[in-house]
């Protein structure tokens, strides 16, 4: 974190903001900047050409020269939100939205530092305080922080965030993807007051050595200082002194905590102190490991009864409320799931917190989706940073067992190099989880060269739907010897809610339910299949889908886009998972 502000020295746009400045929020009391902001949509990118951030706040009657923008002259919108769902004419807007709001600030203590925390901005965000560029962040679904301290004024301050959601070939995801391209400041925005030297990050986890009786505490400070941090877990009656050198420290302690699992999602209050600073989190301890083709949770084999979920809502777009998260968990429970695959980008951080409390296992993913610009080093750095921000955000969440580095990417030399670098980085940064990716079959078999870099092989397969050759599934299962756990990360079929017609070959509820039955009959026979996450819980917006049964929606949900009307396959899967749950752990 050390630089106290990422100011103009870094060029007119400010520095690129990355995972290394992300401040841990747990246990802090941020000041919320949610609520009314002024928003001006800028289709032609004039804001950057004309340097709108540098304009003063005079009203049009006071201008001496004509302007194309006035600071407070936008439309008042509520943040967080996606602009696409606010006005019908904004539905398909792809460009830059200039958000502005002012806030009052009075220093509370002389050494105070102030950081802006943005939960997510889709896709690129440029932050300006009182006209000064403070930094630029890429990536639509991970949080970022920028230090405001040196640019703050006592009294009124003007914050501007220019958010751009254009689909571009060098972004992650690139131009083509099968979900809606929402834009905007769609997660919470906070101000965080911090002491001069503060705790940037603190994690506690079980050492993944198979023993399950050693905890590792790691602390990172804002600046490269020496000293001792103290990590305590009151319920276990332990206090771990963590020697810190140049801002980083780690210590291990022998202890046997009650382990976290879906059956018993035990969380401990963990408090980390350094100097005047304190953070506090609720953390579960568990071990996830692959042993040959088996997936082991706390040393025992586990079968993942999963479902995939997008973060999409007809009213909210990609914004998420507690109520929406609760509903998702309620539906997953009704399906007898113990696992959710959160596709295809990081979901709101409340999802992993809720999964920790409720005992659901999670797959979390970054949107390295289809044809990314794998030859570009800049694109790689963007993907790597998104992965690092996700790991930093959710590393203390016991529910997260898998980091996914990609979905259905083409098997090329550049791609494999890109993904294996990403896999190594994720494993190095977080050895307490397994690395996976959703792959496709080649010639009906597992042949993708990236599988050698994965701990768990995700396979997306649509036998019975895109590929009508259902016996092909049996051939694939019989003739594959992956030597690692295989998770069927997608399988499914479209159905239009309410379309009941047993004789219809496609899109009826009956056909979708039949494909579920046929698939699971065969999948149950393969011993190396450690779980399934069918595609998917709810129908979701996707502009690629324009037939009269789709009308802008992917219809592979078990529930319609109203999150209410269940299809026949919902009951089918609930029944299948109940049986599996009774016979396998
Ligand atoms: C897939 C993709 C997913 C699509 C799905 C479909 O394989 O991973 O993003 O939405 O198929 O419905 O075709």
């Amino acid at each position: 974190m050390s630089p106290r502000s990422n100011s103009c020295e870094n060029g007119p746009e400010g520095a690129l903001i990355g995972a290394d400045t992300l401040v841990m929020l747990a246990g802090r009391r941020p000041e919320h900047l949610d609520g009314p902001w002024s928003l001006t949509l800028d289709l032609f990118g004039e804001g950057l050409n004309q340097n709108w951030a540098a304009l003063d706040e005079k009203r049009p009657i006071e201008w001496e020269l004509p302007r194309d923008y006035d600071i407070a002259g936008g439309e008042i919108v509520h943040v967080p939100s996606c602009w696409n769902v606010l006005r019908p004419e904004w539905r398909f807007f792809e460009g830059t939205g200039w958000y502005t709001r002012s806030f009052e600030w009075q220093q509370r203590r002389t050494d105070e530092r102030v950081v802006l925390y943005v939960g997510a901005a889709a896709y690129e965000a440029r932050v300006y305080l009182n006209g000064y560029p403070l930094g630029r962040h890429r990536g639509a679904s991970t949080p970022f922080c920028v230090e405001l301290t040196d640019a703050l004024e006592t009294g009124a301050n003007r914050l501007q965030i220019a958010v751009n959601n254009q689909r571009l070939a060098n972004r992650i995801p690139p131009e083509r993807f099968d979900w809606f391209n929402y834009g905007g400041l769609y997660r919470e925005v906070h101000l965080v007051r911090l002491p001069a030297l503060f705790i940037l990050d603190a994690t506690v986890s079980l050492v993944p050595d198979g023993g399950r009786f050693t905890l590792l505490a790691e602390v990172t400070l804002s600046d490269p200082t020496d000293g001792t941090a103290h990590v305590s877990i009151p319920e276990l009656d332990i206090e771990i002194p963590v020697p810190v050198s140049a801002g980083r420290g780690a210590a291990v302690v022998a202890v046997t905590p009650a382990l976290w699992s879906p059956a018993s999602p035990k969380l401990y209050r963990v408090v980390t102190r350094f100097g005047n600073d304190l953070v506090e989190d609720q953390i579960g301890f568990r071990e996830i490991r692959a042993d040959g083709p088996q997936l082991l949770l706390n040393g025992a084999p586990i079968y993942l009864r999963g479902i995939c979920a997008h973060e999409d809502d007809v009213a909210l777009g990609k914004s998420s409320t507690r109520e929406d998260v609760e509903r998702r968990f309620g539906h997953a429970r009704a399906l007898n799931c113990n696992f959710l695959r959160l596709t295809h980008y990081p979901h709101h951080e409340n999802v992993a917190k809720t999964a920790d409390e409720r005992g659901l296992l999670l797959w979390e993913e970054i949107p390295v989706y289809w044809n990314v610009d794998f030859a570009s080093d800049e694109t790689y750095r963007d993907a790597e940073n998104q992965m690092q921000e996700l790991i930093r955000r959710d590393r203390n969440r016991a529910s997260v067992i898998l980091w996914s580095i990609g979905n259905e990417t083409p098997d090329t030399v550049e791609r494999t190099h890109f993904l294996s670098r990403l896999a190594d980085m994720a494993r190095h940064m977080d050895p307490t989880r397994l690395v996976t990716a959703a792959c496709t079959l080649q010639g009906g078999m597992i042949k993708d060269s990236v599988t050698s870099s994965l701990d768990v092989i995700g396979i997306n397969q649509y036998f019975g739907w895109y590929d009508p050759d259902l016996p092909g599934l049996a051939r694939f299962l019989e003739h594959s010897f992956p030597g690692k756990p295989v998770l069927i990360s997608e399988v499914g079929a479209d159905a239009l809610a309410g379309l009941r017609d047993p004789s219809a070959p496609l899109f009826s509820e009956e056909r979708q339910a039949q494909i579920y039955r046929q698939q699971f009959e065969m999948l149950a026979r393969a011993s190396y299949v450690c779980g399934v996450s069918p595609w998917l819980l709810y129908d979701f917006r996707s502009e690629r889908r324009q037939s009269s049964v789709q009308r802008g929606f992917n219809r592979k949900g078990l529930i319609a886009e109203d999150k209410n009307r269940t299809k026949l396959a919902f009951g089918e899967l609930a029944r299948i998972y109940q049986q599996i749950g009774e016979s396998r752990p």
Side-chain angles (χ1 to χ4, degrees):
M1 187 84 197
S2 344
R4 293 174 66 93
S5 76
N6 318 10
S7 66
C8 331
E9 302 138 32
N10 300 299
E13 297 175 329
L16 200 57
I17 302 165
D20 53 335
T21 53
L22 188 63
V23 177
M24 177 176 185
L25 275 196
R28 301 192 185 281
R29 281 198 203 87
E31 291 160 44
H32 305 294
L33 293 182
D34 300 339
W37 287 59
S38 161
L39 172 64
T40 301
L41 296 186
D42 174 22
L43 185 63
F44 287 87
E46 289 300 343
L48 293 180
N49 291 337
Q50 301 175 12
N51 200 4
W52 286 355
L55 293 173
D56 60 35
E57 292 184 34
K58 285 183 183 155
R59 288 168 302 140
I61 48 157
E62 301 167 302
W63 293 347
E64 283 118 35
L65 286 171
R67 299 177 180 181
D68 294 326
Y69 169 77
D70 49 328
I71 305 271
E75 296 209 38
I76 302 303
V77 299
H78 178 87
V79 167
S81 64
C82 298
W83 58 58
N84 318 75
V85 294
L86 299 181
R87 308 262 188 286
E89 63 277 21
W90 293 354
R91 166 66 67 89
F92 296 113
F93 179 78
E94 295 189 345
T96 302
W98 282 79
Y99 287 89
T100 309
R101 67 160 285 164
S102 51
F103 64 90
E104 290 287 316
W105 179 75
Q106 304 291 337
Q107 196 178 41
R108 289 208 190 129
R109 35 194 279 189
T110 48
D111 64 348
E112 184 170 82
R113 292 172 75 175
V114 180
V115 160
L116 177 76
Y117 182 102
V118 178
Y123 176 92
E124 187 172 53
R126 291 177 161 82
V127 180
Y128 306 85
L129 186 67
N130 300 321
Y132 291 103
L134 293 184
R136 183 164 61 95
H137 178 263
R138 295 186 302 207
S141 308
T142 44
F144 61 92
C145 286
V146 58
E147 181 154 12
L148 306 183
T149 314
D150 292 345
L152 272 171
E153 305 278 349
T154 297
N157 285 269
R158 183 177 89 220
L159 181 63
Q160 278 166 299
I161 308 184
V163 182
N164 178 286
N165 75 329
Q166 273 168 295
R167 288 171 299 113
L168 299 174
N170 62 357
R171 289 187 169 175
I172 304 282
E175 286 157 307
R176 268 184 83 246
F177 44 87
D178 193 26
W179 63 91
F180 193 89
N181 183 32
Y182 293 107
L185 272 182
Y186 71 95
R187 287 188 190 146
E188 295 78 359
V189 181
H190 309 294
L191 277 188
V192 196
R193 293 179 191 253
L194 297 156
L197 180 61
F198 60 88
I199 299 165
L200 194 62
D201 192 32
T203 65
V204 182
S205 55
L206 263 187
V207 175
D209 59 2
R212 298 185 288 283
F213 44 68
T214 316
L215 287 184
L216 170 68
E218 292 167 281
V219 178
T220 307
L221 303 179
S222 55
D223 295 78
T225 312
D226 299 345
T228 304
H230 295 273
V231 176
S232 62
I233 309 178
E235 204 182 326
L236 293 173
D237 202 18
I238 56 168
E239 167 110 9
I240 315 167
V242 180
V244 176
S245 151
R248 283 174 182 275
V252 289
V253 63
V255 60
T256 3
L259 298 180
W260 183 99
S261 71
S264 172
K266 170 71 191 158
L267 301 176
Y268 289 94
R269 188 165 77 91
V270 178
V271 183
T272 304
R273 291 186 179 80
F274 186 91
N276 295 332
D277 200 21
L278 177 152
V279 289
E280 183 177 323
D281 210 350
Q282 296 288 331
I283 305 181
F285 304 114
R286 56 99 192 95
E287 187 197 53
I288 189 77
R289 214 152 40 90
D291 183 12
Q294 274 193 324
L295 190 62
L296 304 178
L297 179 71
N298 300 329
I302 180 140
Y303 187 86
L304 302 176
R305 307 185 305 273
I307 189 73
C308 293
H310 258 296
E311 194 171 52
D312 183 72
D313 187 89
V314 275
L316 302 170
K318 244 175 101 59
S319 276
S320 182
T321 56
R322 285 213 175 260
E323 187 193 15
D324 191 49
V325 173
E326 288 296 334
R327 184 169 37 202
R328 209 181 308 168
F329 278 82
H331 281 136
R333 275 281 177 243
L335 282 170
N336 299 309
C337 287
N338 61 4
F339 173 64
L340 279 176
R341 176 182 173 206
L342 304 180
T343 53
H344 281 298
Y345 38 73
H347 290 205
H348 194 287
E349 56 192 89
N350 282 340
V351 178
K353 285 186 185 156
T354 311
D356 266 15
E357 290 161 12
R358 305 289 157 77
L360 254 92
L361 297 158
L362 294 182
W363 156 315
E364 290 200 322
E365 174 164 338
I366 56 164
V368 178
Y369 186 90
W370 293 353
N371 288 304
V372 164
D373 185 1
F374 291 110
S376 154
D377 201 50
E378 203 187 333
T379 304
Y380 174 77
R381 285 202 304 275
D382 185 359
E384 185 178 77
N385 187 59
Q386 292 189 36
M387 192 77 237
Q388 289 169 344
E389 286 173 340
L390 175 59
I391 295 177
R392 283 283 302 277
R393 193 193 73 178
D394 284 352
R395 234 188 112 169
N396 281 334
R397 305 283 74 84
S399 52
V400 181
I401 53 169
L402 293 165
W403 297 129
S404 172
I405 55 173
N407 183 78
E408 297 185 353
T409 54
D411 192 356
T412 62
V413 174
E414 290 84 10
R415 187 293 314 253
T416 303
H417 178 64
F418 186 110
L419 287 192
S420 50
R421 266 176 92 185
L422 213 45
D424 290 347
M425 186 283 298
R427 218 174 267 121
H428 178 74
M429 189 169 166
D430 178 13
T432 71
R433 291 179 176 81
L434 302 175
V435 174
T436 190
C439 306
T440 49
L441 298 175
Q442 295 173 10
M445 295 294 146
I446 302 179
K447 285 193 188 142
D448 191 329
S449 55
V450 81
T451 55
S452 61
S453 301
L454 306 176
D455 303 314
V456 172
I457 303 172
I459 293 292
N460 292 356
Q461 53 85 9
Y462 284 89
F463 289 104
W465 185 251
Y466 293 123
D467 185 348
D469 174 32
L470 204 58
L473 173 59
R475 283 197 300 279
F476 140 61
L477 293 169
E478 263 166 47
H479 299 293
S480 296
F481 306 97
K484 295 181 180 184
V486 170
L487 173 63
I488 303 299
S489 37
E490 284 179 36
V491 50
D494 287 75
L496 182 63
L499 180 64
R500 297 288 184 90
D501 180 355
S503 64
L506 296 175
F507 286 106
S508 70
E509 290 194 25
E510 287 88 348
R511 179 70 186 127
Q512 186 190 36
Q514 184 193 36
I515 290 176
Y516 271 72
R517 268 195 303 280
Q518 292 170 329
Q519 277 271 352
F520 272 93
E521 261 166 38
M522 290 190 228
L523 290 174
R525 293 187 220 139
S527 58
Y528 54 81
V529 172
C530 69
V532 187
S533 53
W535 191 247
L536 81 169
L537 190 54
Y538 305 118
D539 289 353
F540 62 98
R541 273 203 187 103
S542 175
E543 290 309 313
R544 296 178 60 246
R545 311 291 184 169
Q546 291 302 337
S547 74
S548 59
V549 275
Q550 296 164 317
R551 298 246 185 261
F553 284 87
N554 182 312
R555 303 264 178 219
K556 293 190 187 69
L558 296 172
I559 306 177
E561 71 276 13
D562 61 5
K563 301 185 175 170
N564 183 31
R565 282 172 300 149
T566 54
K567 307 179 192 174
L568 288 178
F570 184 93
E572 193 64 48
L573 186 64
R575 187 187 57 74
I576 294 169
Y577 277 165
Q578 184 174 1
Q579 278 174 4
I580 294 179
E582 283 162 5
S583 59
R584 303 173 80 150

